[in-house]
Amino acid sequence: MNLSALQWIGLCLLLILFFTFWGRNNSKRALRSIPAFRQLRRTIELSVEDGSRLQISLGRGGILGPEAATAFAGLTLLRQVADIAADSDQPPIATTGDGAIMLLAQDTLRNSYKRLGIADQYHFRLAQTTGLTPFSYAAGALPRILDREVSATALAGSFGEEAGLLTSATQLSGGFSLGGSENLTSQAILFASADQPLIGEEIFATGAYMGSGPTHQASLHAQDVLRWVAILLFIVTALLPLFGGLR
Amino acid sequence: MNLRLQTPLATAVAIAFGFIILASLLIPDLMDVRNQILNWAILLAAIALFLGFANLFQVHLQKLRNKEKSAYSSILIVAMLVTFAITLWEGSQGVTAAWIFNNIQLPIETSLMAVLAISLTIAAAQILQQRKDLMSLVFIGTVFILILSSGPLFGIELPVFTRTIGPIVNNFLSVGALRGLLIGVSLGTLASGLRILLGSDRPYGG
Amino acid sequence: MTYHSGQDPEESLPDWLKALRKRQSQEPTSPEGEDSSAPEPDEEEPDWLRDIRQRYGFPESGPETDSHQKPENALSDTQPIIPSRAVETRPNHEREVFSQGPMAEEPIEDTPEQPSQEWINEEPAAEVPQPESPRREFPDWLEELGEVEGTAIKEDELAPHIPAFTEGTEPELIPGVLPSWLEAIRPGGAFPQEDTRSEEMLPSAEKIGGPLAGLSGVLPAEPDAIQSFKPPVYSARLEVTDSQSQHAAAFKKMLEEEGKPKGDQGHQVALPIRLINTLIGTAIFVAVLVPLLSQSQLAPRPEPDLLPENAAVFNRIDVLPSEAPVLIGLDLQPALYGETKAAITAVINHLLERQARLVFISTQPTGPGIVERLLQEELANQPAGAEGNYTNLGYLSGGMAALRSFFSDPRSATVSMSALGLNPWTSPAFDSIDSVSDFALVLVVSSNADDARIWIEQGASEFPNGLIAITSAQAAPLLRPYLQGVPQTLQGIVSGVQGAVLYERLRSQEVGGGRDLWDAYSFGLGAILLLILLGGLSGRLTHMRLERTATKITYTEPETKPAGDQLGN
């Protein structure tokens, strides 16, 4: 028993639309607490208060593969952080290892600054490419962390093993690190080395937890439903041969 | 183009091209259109790679002008320009370019990987100190099992780990767990793509 | 102020009021103090009261009076209603409160109200001359009040009742000028210039004692109302508990440190960590370097049955015909080249021994460089490598999309070689290649499981002859499902140093890149395991010791006194 790709897409689309319009004002439709996002919010507020800088690392994945989804989650986080902290003494910066992500990050920041009415404070160095290969990207982002120019580093994007370098450097400089990626190797590394890791699909919940809108929350609920659908399908598919043999 | 006109236009273009690619799964006649669009995307990705290089250059040039860590930035800019010029002249398979790659880039990245091994060892040693939850204990236990089953330690092989416990963990437990994580990631990727198709998520700004 | 109803109110009056009434009934009051512009007071009533009577009872000559009269005549039909007696409406319990206890005997402190209240309460007396002008119709109860005699209140004895307003006889009110009776009760000039209050009620300044000594015109607070005594001396010493002291000290320290410049705390914190990092790094470095330099072969090689997927790769390559075209996708990062170099070398050596035609392509920018290094240096002993008998298509930009496009039509894909003006497909090696399915074998070399998965998932249907992989050890578990799945999309994997050693063993090689690394790998793993174990235990024990010896702040509940004590009962 299997669902085709189009059936999964159609089901997910219907669920997103359903949850977007149904119960949007229902306070009982709450999300479970994820300590990483709670601490990230606090870190953002503290950084604004004490005039320190946040670094959002968007990874080195492109936009032409499945790694694009985590890059978009990172861009969502960047937008939310910029809306909060853009007019502080030390505005947040975004680093990436891919040119396309860099362009999107610059666009995101530019629009955030325009929304806040401080367009004249935007400059292109707020979103920069620090390297074009994974480890060169990490190496380019390390000096800013080790010099304690940033008080917190949020890794939200497609990372590999180089994520461990960024989190280790943040730990060495006494900062706060939060990390999430779709790459399973980097998730294991982030679990060991980051202060607050995001495991599995928690990285895709960034928009919902950072207040990006009802559609983000709706898609999160849709994912929960689809997960249960997948579990049921696995169980049914596993038990079908048993029932077939009993006949 | 001001922001008001740019946002709806960008959203419309994104949704239109997304639906064309999606529809090509249903309509075989759209395969050629899909391939063409993908070719455009590949071309744009290559241009974006070049723009990334340009941004890197621009950032360090600005640092040089502002005299912020000018030594590091100046070395980087000079090295970048020299390597680019040599590769452009000789080709990527030229002698000098290969020498630069083999003797500078490769050792540096390999060394960073070695540093990562040390950092991860330290992180694994500190995990019990920083966290006292069950998952941390499971994590450390799994690390021990996998290291013991990866091969002989100090020249001594432990068959119970390499032949029994290790294969069970590698072939069954970890595979199942990884599959579960991948399914969750896939669902998240699917939802993210659909949000872009619906126009509610606009990572391209606006 | 005392109000009485239904009981003998005379007894509840304060003494001073009793005395006043008695005096007024017996003796004429003599004003004290200042001169008064008012006419001479009657013997029985105060001057201000007399003023009122005269003004409203007998019209006076004079401009002021005339001016007062005119407005009055003009407002004759709008005379204010006589206010009701407060005694009629006051609740019983309030009357009881005011009639009992020492508080009832206290003199009225709100002096400005006193004149108005007194003239309200006063009942008409027979001695008071009635105005000749016709009186207004008053309510019966009000008239009864005037006629009541011998009541408990007996206030009429003290001062006769004077109606507040008499129709037609009220002096005219001059606009902008306060009437005299209002002027008399005005706070600023509330006190009449001549003090008509009795001496007993308002003793002279010399007789006033206590805190009001020396002041004139004040009501005596002593000796009845206030018993002055030395106030209790409360200790100025602040009672502070230990926890409050600690908090106060911490707060004081925080405030003191606020003005001090911040030290380089990050550097101070990082120094011991850096030292530990250096020691751990040195230990691992030594554990790896010593076997590498000594070329020891202490560690036993793995058995072939341990990794059957390695044997599958070997068998696949071993049956390749000569000159078979093999597509090798090298999606390898330079950082992980060191780990996979041994495996790549062993497999490609095998391919070259089978005289396969190798075609390289990479979706990583550094892929072509690694290919060149591999063939020019690692495989320099192979004739094919030395002669360049291979094809490097270069870098394929675009990730998964580009790969999908390449699988569909490899000749039309934009690779870096063709972008530089070189058309590799014109080589005779590619005469028989029109699509990827024409390759005899596809080998993907990847350090990342995701890159290998893209090759497997996008190209599985395009590779009828099978797909094998060389990966880093971290990617092998993620690719295992493709090995075990049905249909099997991945035919074999060689992963990590262990895979390289086993593959060399399968090829009956006693020496090789894998064997050289195997001992170093073994000792390095052991060192890492020991360091994690020792570091974790020591850190945990240190943390537990710190938790036990940490100073605990205890909170003591402040002593709470019962409510009665606070009120002095």
Side-chain angles (χ1 to χ4, degrees), chain C residues 31-105:
Chain C
E32 294 181 1
E34 304 119 8
D35 297 332
S36 173
S37 58
E40 292 185 359
D42 293 338
E43 292 182 352
E44 299 175 354
E45 63 180 359
D47 294 338
W48 58 268
L49 191 57
R50 199 178 306 112
D51 289 340
I52 291 172
R53 290 181 190 284
Q54 288 172 359
R55 191 176 306 118
Y56 296 103
F58 301 96
E60 295 177 1
S61 62
E64 286 188 5
T65 310
D66 291 338
S67 63
H68 280 295
Q69 268 184 343
K70 287 176 185 176
E72 280 293 328
N73 290 333
L75 298 171
S76 60
D77 54 345
T78 60
Q79 295 302 311
I81 301 170
I82 295 174
S84 60
R85 289 173 62 87
V87 67
E88 295 293 330
T89 58
R90 204 166 185 86
N92 289 331
H93 67 276
E94 288 185 1
R95 295 175 204 154
E96 290 175 357
V97 166
F98 284 103
S99 63
Q100 294 175 4
M103 293 184 69
E105 297 178 356

Side-chain angles (χ1 to χ4, degrees), chain A residues 55-59 93-97 128-150 152-155 159 162-163 165-167 169-170 173, chain B residues 56 60 63 69 72 76 112:
Chain A
Q55 176 173 278
I56 313 295
S57 295
L58 299 172
I93 61 166
T95 57
T96 176
Q128 51 184 261
T129 307
T130 56
L132 294 170
T133 64
F135 275 85
S136 64
Y137 154 64
L142 283 178
R144 198 181 291 274
I145 298 172
L146 291 172
D147 290 343
R148 289 189 294 279
E149 291 179 25
V150 294
T153 303
L155 285 77
F159 292 91
E162 70 278 3
L165 289 177
L166 296 173
T167 51
T170 306
S173 63
Chain B
L56 189 62
H60 286 279
K63 281 187 180 177
K69 297 178 187 174
Y72 169 70
L76 189 139
L112 286 173

Side-chain angles (χ1 to χ4, degrees), chain B residues 53-177:
Chain B
F53 165 79
N55 176 263
L56 189 62
F57 180 82
Q58 199 177 11
V59 164
H60 286 279
L61 191 64
Q62 189 67 31
K63 281 187 180 177
L64 202 60
R65 284 180 190 156
N66 297 340
K67 296 183 180 177
E68 301 172 17
K69 297 178 187 174
S70 54
Y72 169 70
S73 294
S74 61
I75 292 171
L76 189 139
I77 287 174
V78 168
M80 190 187 293
L81 290 173
V82 167
T83 308
F84 183 70
I86 291 171
T87 311
L88 207 59
W89 181 256
E90 288 187 348
S92 60
Q93 298 174 5
V95 175
T96 313
W99 187 92
I100 292 173
F101 177 79
N102 293 328
N103 294 283
I104 297 178
Q105 182 171 359
L106 203 61
I108 289 174
E109 293 213 15
T110 309
S111 303
L112 286 173
M113 191 66 189
V115 168
L116 181 63
I118 298 170
S119 300
L120 290 179
T121 304
I122 296 165
Q126 289 178 341
I127 196 170
L128 286 178
Q129 186 177 352
Q130 292 171 354
R131 297 177 201 164
K132 290 180 272 187
D133 53 356
L134 177 64
M135 282 297 114
S136 302
L137 288 172
V138 171
F139 181 85
I140 288 296
T142 309
V143 166
F144 284 166
I145 291 170
L146 290 176
I147 290 177
L148 290 168
S149 62
S150 295
L153 301 185
F154 297 114
I156 304 169
E157 185 176 350
L158 302 170
V160 67
F161 284 99
T162 57
R163 290 190 168 273
T164 310
I165 299 175
I168 291 173
V169 172
N170 266 322
N171 300 339
F172 298 105
L173 296 179
S174 66
V175 167

Side-chain angles (χ1 to χ4, degrees), chain A residues 60 64-67 132-135 146 148 161-162 171-173 182-185, chain C residues 264 266-267 270 273-274 277 333 335-336 365-366 398 400-401 447-448 450 474 478:
Chain A
R60 37 82 165 183
L64 293 178
E67 65 275 4
L132 294 170
T133 64
F135 275 85
L146 291 172
R148 289 189 294 279
E161 303 83 10
E162 70 278 3
Q171 195 181 35
L172 203 63
S173 63
E182 93 291 355
N183 187 296
L184 299 177
T185 307
Chain C
D264 193 3
H267 179 70
I273 295 177
R274 285 198 173 123
N277 290 0
Q333 294 175 27
L336 286 125
T366 53
M400 187 176 75
S447 56
N448 192 347
D450 291 333
Q474 63 178 336
L478 285 159

